[in-house]
Amino acid sequence: MTDLSRRKMLVGAAASAAALGVAATAKAATFGNPDNPAEGAINAKSPTSLDDPGPKNPGLASQFPDTGNPPPTDVNGMAEFWASFNNAPKRIQDGGWARQVTQEDFAISTEISGVNMRLAKNGIRELHWHQQAEWAVMTDGKCRITIIDELGRPQVADVKAGDLWYFPPGLPHSLQGIGPTGAEFVIAFDNGMASEFNTLLLTDWIAHTPPEILSANFGVPADAFKNIPLNNLWIFQGKDPGPLAADQAAVKSPLGPPTFPFVFSLSDLPPVRKTAGGMVQIADSRNFRASSTVAAALVTVKPGGMRELHWHPNADEWQYYISGEGRMTVFDTGPRAITNDFRAGDIGYVKKSLGHYVQNTGNTDLVFMEIFRSDHYAEVSLSDWLTHTPPQMVMEHLNITPDVLAKFPRNRPDIVPV
Ligand code: MN
Ligand code: MN
């Protein structure tokens, strides 16, 4: 079978199908990889090659049509780039819960660690800090954030679904669910090893400082601290914090507020691209000035649409799927190419500069976020590159005709169809 590459088989199949007319469409869709090994069901000629009698979980298998039956263009040998909050263990306390997917759980995810947190009405994520920057997107309800910068300039703000926050490394902060339903959000730390279960907590420090030191530090008798919690709170049920304006007045510093706000409204932004297939909104340090190490794009792909073939030259991409259904193929050297399926609550990861697309495979809008450890969003579009390269060179590479090349989108659509 060594002389029968997948391409020969596929092109041959397509050519004979073309002669037969209507069957051509299905066969043409399998144009594929010219390289060995001859992978894919299309190469499985023996009658029992495709049998799969072993133990299986039908519910789980049905969620992953593209791993159970990969497109013939896939070639294995790539690290897993699918993960999910859906099956991440929840740490539940009075006041809310959190679950996370870190590099320890998801080896490929070296640049970003993800946390999904829910805070009950008035539930508090206790005052804390950590070595990593914290970026977050609100997905439900309302949350009140507090933070102070290294110059002593505080900010208290309320955020709603579609808003972001960015807390620089080491700056102390808190979160509280407010309004009738509290808050849910997803945090991205700019380090794959960061853990929400391993942060520097106010209550831990106070409980592990000698009482006479607390007395000297705060200028009050040591027994003023006799009721401190001996175990940390992490998440706990708080009381209604009252109006935002009152909190803002209470924290006021003569130094004023931070130079750039630590919160930003992403979903209210005008899209940077809008096509028949969907739209892209981008928040990075060029508009969300405080967000110096995380850039984000909110992508909406309509049914039948696709986030076009592209890559990112500056950073790995950490994806968080918010709604809908999609599939992504990641292309690497080798060549290797793997396709996987994504639903709400899932996470995808694409290493820097590896090619990929994301196709809406459902009947509703596919909405997901692309998160990067970078101060700016950057991408290279395949169609943009090929339409701004001397045409003869492109045609000689792909054996295509001028009229085909002339139809390629020239304006970086981001989402197709244009
Ligand atoms: Mn934090
Ligand atoms: Mn991308």
Side-chain angles (χ1 to χ4, degrees):
M1 190 107 154
T2 49
D3 63 333
L4 262 188
S5 75
R6 204 170 336 187
R7 175 179 288 271
K8 283 175 186 159
M9 295 183 67
L10 296 170
V11 171
S16 45
L20 296 172
V22 69
T25 314
K27 292 292 187 185
T30 63
F31 263 60
N33 190 303
D35 300 280
N36 289 322
E39 271 190 49
I42 193 165
N43 287 307
K45 296 301 176 196
S46 67
T48 56
S49 291
L50 298 177
D51 288 358
D52 187 2
K56 56 169 68 78
N57 176 336
L60 197 54
S62 70
Q63 305 267 309
F64 298 96
D66 285 298
T67 57
N69 184 23
T73 41
D74 273 16
V75 179
N76 262 268
M78 188 184 294
E80 177 64 89
F81 56 80
W82 182 98
S84 187
F85 289 120
N86 287 296
N87 58 358
K90 271 181 182 169
R91 174 175 170 179
I92 303 175
Q93 299 189 184
D94 186 30
W97 53 258
R99 50 190 172 181
Q100 65 181 15
V101 177
T102 74
Q103 189 184 342
E104 202 166 11
D105 315 295
F106 188 32
I108 195 175
S109 187
T110 55
E111 296 194 350
I112 300 283
S113 156
V115 177
N116 175 206
M117 187 179 291
R118 158 92 190 147
L119 294 174
K121 176 184 181 180
N122 302 327
I124 295 174
R125 172 64 174 93
E126 87 158 275
L127 288 158
H128 71 282
W129 70 103
H130 31 74
Q131 294 172 330
Q132 299 78 24
E134 171 176 325
W135 176 101
V137 58
M138 285 285 294
T139 54
D140 189 68
K142 286 185 175 172
C143 190
R144 180 163 301 173
I145 65 100
T146 77
I147 182 171
I148 190 167
D149 74 8
E150 69 276 24
L151 298 181
R153 300 176 299 186
Q155 184 180 13
V156 181
D158 289 351
V159 287
K160 64 181 190 310
D163 291 351
L164 311 179
W165 68 73
Y166 179 87
F167 300 150
L171 298 193
H173 51 274
S174 68
L175 309 165
Q176 183 170 21
I178 57 173
T181 60
E184 186 168 342
F185 46 88
V186 161
I187 288 171
F189 292 115
D190 65 352
N191 180 326
M193 290 303 289
S195 169
E196 187 68 24
F197 305 156
N198 185 17
T199 59
L200 295 142
L201 300 167
L202 171 68
T203 52
D204 272 346
W205 202 15
I206 298 296
H208 296 279
T209 300
E212 69 275 17
I213 298 298
L214 294 176
S215 171
N217 191 72
F218 293 109
V220 297
D223 73 354
F225 296 99
K226 63 177 187 283
N227 294 325
I228 59 165
L230 298 182
N231 296 303
N232 68 61
L233 299 170
W234 194 61
I235 286 175
F236 67 102
Q237 186 56 51
K239 299 187 176 75
D240 186 338
L244 176 63
D247 269 357
Q248 289 174 327
V251 305
K252 218 164 193 166
S253 157
L255 299 169
T259 308
F260 301 118
F262 292 115
V263 299
F264 187 77
S265 186
L266 172 60
S267 56
D268 293 343
L269 276 185
V272 293
R273 295 266 195 290
K274 189 166 187 177
T275 65
M279 67 174 183
V280 178
Q281 295 156 286
I282 291 176
D284 64 16
S285 65
R286 290 171 287 200
N287 51 8
F288 183 12
R289 298 291 296 275
S291 190
S292 56
T293 66
V294 177
L298 176 60
V299 180
T300 303
V301 184
K302 293 180 183 168
M306 187 177 84
R307 176 81 172 87
E308 66 167 330
L309 290 157
H310 69 281
W311 69 90
H312 306 276
N314 60 330
D316 295 358
E317 171 175 339
W318 186 90
Q319 300 168 337
Y320 174 58
Y321 286 82
I322 295 173
S323 62
E325 295 174 27
R327 72 167 183 167
M328 172 168 72
T329 303
V330 177
F331 162 67
D332 196 358
T333 60
R336 290 171 291 174
I338 296 286
T339 306
N340 213 328
D341 304 288
F342 297 87
R343 292 162 187 255
D346 291 347
I347 296 167
Y349 199 92
V350 185
K351 282 289 185 186
K352 180 164 73 178
S353 291
L354 299 194
H356 55 285
Y357 67 86
V358 182
Q359 179 184 36
N360 186 339
T361 51
N363 302 315
T364 59
D365 281 3
L366 172 66
V367 181
F368 67 99
M369 298 216 59
E370 305 177 355
I371 313 293
F372 306 89
R373 187 171 72 184
S374 174
D375 65 343
H376 68 284
Y377 178 88
E379 109 180 43
V380 178
S381 147
L382 179 61
S383 66
D384 194 50
W385 176 35
L386 296 182
T387 53
H388 296 91
T389 294
Q392 183 178 321
M393 172 168 288
V394 175
M395 292 187 291
E396 286 176 2
H397 275 79
L398 300 180
N399 293 324
I400 56 173
T401 53
D403 58 306
V404 169
L405 182 57
K407 291 196 177 92
F408 285 15
R410 298 178 62 85
N411 56 348
R412 281 182 75 137
D414 278 355
I415 317 285
V416 290
V418 179

